[in-house]
Every structure is written in C-alpha cells, then in structure tokens.
Amino acid sequence: MATTALVIVDMLVDFVEESGKLYCGPAARVIIPRIQEEARRARGKGEMVIYLCDRHRADDSEFGLFPPHAVEGTRGAEVCGELAPLPGDRVIAKRRFSGFAGTDLDLTLREQGIAGLRLTGVCTNICVLYTAADARMLGYAVDVVADAVASFDDEAHRWALRELAKTLGARMTGGETGGATQ
Ligand code: ZN
C-alpha cells in the first residue's frame, strides 16, 4: 500500500487566476503543468491525492492580515479548472495557513496508513511551509516538489525552500531546488 500522499495546496481561482482576489502572479501559473504531472503519476501509482483548500468565512480573522480571498461559496474558493479534483481525491477545507489546523487531515492520513506527504502548490512561504512544519512536528516525512511550489514573493519563496530543507528536514525533489540542498 502506498504510504505517501500527494498534497496540492491552495491552487484556487483566487490565487492562481489573474482575476483572482489574491493572485500570486505568473509563478503560480508556471507550476500548473508540473502539478498535473505529479497528480497523474500519483494517481497512476494508487497514491492518494489530497487538496488542501483555503475556505474562509466572510468575516474570517485572517482578513485582518490579507485582503478577503477564498470565501466559502464563491468561485474564488474553487480549485482552478486545470487541476480539478477527480473522483477518489480528497478535498480538505482549511481556514488557517496549516492544513492541519482545525481539519481532519491528520485523521485522514492515519486512517489510510500514510506516513509521508509530497507537497506542491502555493504559497511556498505560507501555507506550504506551515503545513510542512505541522507535518514534521507530527512525525510525517515531507517531500517538497521544488519546481511545483511558488509564491508571489520570490525572495520569500527561496528562503522558505531553505527553511523547509535545513530546519524542517524536508527532502527536495523536482528540477529546481532553489539552492536549498546546497
Ligand atoms: Zn487564506
């Protein structure tokens, strides 16, 4: 049984489409084909594909920090069309940066005997980083597909890749490791 899950973080209309409320820029579009490829490979191997998706309430306290985005019931909160979930995939809504905060992600992984996560999506320095941090604190192995994560802030993206590798012990895979493994 596969013990790794592919995790696709926040590839939502509001983050990855130009008209979105909190568009992350071209870097977020470049990774779409890479994530498609990862998803194809994972499904082909029988690995679980998990979507972690911001789904905020209209008055969410996070909107003190960031402009409103991914509000439940709006199109902006939907996964972008290119990466639409398939039957058998799991979609887990979250209201905080970490996919583990107030969700059943940990329970879902344990039920399935999954011991490792392979992370893709946006933003490298926010939801990817804090999901990875919680995963590591809970004892999961973490791989980061370095050319399938992105941020609106390139400097923060590179810093986060190093932090993921050097502090959290995440294994970097993919074509571009951002110097994280050097
Ligand atoms: Zn959010």
Side-chain angles (χ1 to χ4, degrees):
M1 182 165 128
T3 60
T4 297
L6 176 68
V7 178
I8 300 173
V9 180
D10 280 341
M11 292 301 285
L12 310 178
V13 169
D14 268 348
F15 294 123
V16 307
E17 289 193 4
E18 222 166 316
S19 60
K21 295 271 196 302
L22 214 51
Y23 177 47
C24 296
R29 301 215 54 83
V30 168
I31 63 174
I32 290 174
R34 281 291 294 118
I35 298 176
Q36 286 174 325
E37 199 179 303
E38 288 290 328
R40 253 195 313 271
R41 195 160 64 192
R43 291 176 186 126
K45 283 162 61 179
E47 290 179 357
M48 180 169 277
V49 176
I50 298 174
Y51 290 78
L52 295 180
C53 301
D54 253 13
R55 194 175 296 162
H56 291 295
R57 295 178 185 161
D59 62 350
D60 205 300
S61 64
E62 193 181 289
F63 299 158
L65 260 177
F66 293 99
H69 58 274
V71 172
E72 59 188 349
T74 66
R75 183 173 170 269
E78 290 170 17
V79 175
C80 67
E82 298 91 333
L83 294 170
L86 298 185
D89 296 344
R90 298 290 173 97
V91 178
I92 295 180
K94 64 183 180 64
R95 293 179 53 216
R96 293 293 177 260
F97 300 156
S98 169
F100 288 94
T103 73
D104 74 346
L105 176 58
D106 185 48
L107 188 61
T108 301
L109 296 170
R110 288 177 195 282
E111 270 175 353
Q112 301 292 324
I114 294 167
L117 304 180
R118 191 161 63 258
L119 295 174
T120 64
V122 295
C123 290
T124 321
N125 54 305
I126 307 178
C127 292
V128 172
L129 178 65
Y130 292 104
T131 297
D134 276 348
R136 295 296 293 137
M137 300 308 123
L138 292 167
Y140 292 97
V142 172
D143 286 5
V144 175
V145 186
D147 57 357
V149 291
S151 176
F152 56 91
D153 179 337
D154 191 54
E155 193 184 326
H157 164 78
R158 288 176 187 286
W159 171 83
L161 286 181
R162 283 194 298 277
E163 188 73 3
L164 284 157
K166 292 183 188 294
T167 304
L168 295 173
R171 197 168 67 111
M172 292 292 148
T173 67
E176 190 204 314
T177 58
T181 54
Q182 284 151 36

